[in-house]
Amino acid sequence: MAVPKRKVSRTRRDKRRTHWKAKMPAISTCPNCLQPKLPHRVCKYCGYYKGETVIEVEE
């Protein structure tokens, strides 16, 4: 079984983790109500997707 020969230093460990970052979600605007929404998803404010009412939203 493979076993590390030496302890991995904090610097080397942190260098390996430099790309483990949270990305900002892409946000677009709903063409119907102009509220921010996630792309390719139903607008939670008006219930529209691709110009059609998909869900009924309680107001």
Side-chain angles (χ1 to χ4, degrees), residues 24-33 35-55 57:
M24 288 291 294
I27 298 176
S28 60
T29 56
C30 176
N32 188 48
C33 66
Q35 291 287 329
K37 71 174 194 75
L38 293 173
H40 307 288
R41 286 167 178 81
V42 178
C43 178
K44 63 182 178 181
Y45 299 103
C46 65
Y48 271 68
Y49 182 68
K50 289 191 176 181
E52 297 179 12
T53 304
V54 181
I55 56 172
V57 180

Side-chain angles (χ1 to χ4, degrees), residues 3 5-6 18 22 35 38 44 56:
V3 178
K5 200 163 198 173
R6 294 173 188 266
T18 57
Q35 291 287 329
L38 293 173
K44 63 182 178 181
E56 292 293 325

